[in-house]
Amino acid sequence: MDIEAVRRSFPALASGLARFDGPSGSPRRARGRLLPPGGLPARGLGDAGGMRVGDTSGMPLRVHHVVIDAHDLLGLGRFWADALGWQVLSVREREVVVGPSLDAPVGICLMPAGDTKTVKNRLHLDLTTEAADRDAEIERLLALGARRVDVGQTGDESWDVLADPEGNEFCVVRPKVTLVE
């Protein structure tokens, strides 16, 4: 999509596209997509309405829970609470919730699984830590009950693939400072 098409399609972005950070005044691109200076506004393609980046107040939708199907809800809840340094916040017959605190913006909810997991997850968590801690954190996760799994890695990846005690894959990725770097 060229800059004029963006201006026509997303007039709210027009003011943000008035200047460009790319070479010779060209638009910046990320993975082939045109981006305004500083990336997209916090609320997506519409007007950020004066919101701070990362501020989710006033948004119509935001992530609340990552839901993981489980056979042993409390056992898997304890694994994830220990793995992330969180706590078990709620235990019910068909739901266990873990998170950093009751008022945290996002948590993990464990719900009953109807069947046994047989294929690779289509969705998984990526966890990161400081470079000096990475190997120690992987060993800690293994001691908590995680295990290494092969989902077709080549060995050159910047992440290690593990699975929780019920086989749900997750990755420990190289240290990250932003969502894309």
Side-chain angles (χ1 to χ4, degrees), residues 14-89:
S15 62
L17 294 173
R19 68 175 180 82
F20 298 100
D21 292 336
S24 305
S26 63
R28 292 183 323 123
R29 292 188 177 272
R31 296 186 187 195
R33 293 185 304 255
L34 181 68
L35 293 176
L40 293 174
R43 292 186 65 187
L45 296 175
D47 181 6
M51 292 174 48
R52 293 183 333 272
V53 172
D55 182 1
T56 60
S57 62
M59 291 183 65
L61 290 174
R62 60 187 181 276
V63 175
H64 179 66
H65 284 144
V66 173
V67 178
I68 300 174
D69 290 348
H71 293 285
D72 177 2
L73 278 68
L74 185 55
L76 201 57
R78 286 183 179 135
F79 168 83
W80 283 107
D82 290 345
L84 297 171
W86 289 1
Q87 54 191 317
V88 175
L89 300 171

Side-chain angles (χ1 to χ4, degrees), residues 83-128:
L84 297 171
W86 289 1
Q87 54 191 317
V88 175
L89 300 171
S90 172
V91 177
R92 296 184 180 149
E93 182 180 345
R94 299 184 50 80
E95 175 187 271
V96 170
V97 175
V98 299
S101 66
L102 284 174
D103 59 351
V106 100
I108 293 177
C109 180
L110 292 296
M111 303 287 290
D115 52 9
T116 302
K117 182 181 176 317
T118 58
V119 298
K120 178 183 171 287
N121 293 3
R122 292 189 61 179
L123 175 74
H124 69 268
L125 299 177
D126 278 353
L127 309 177
T128 191

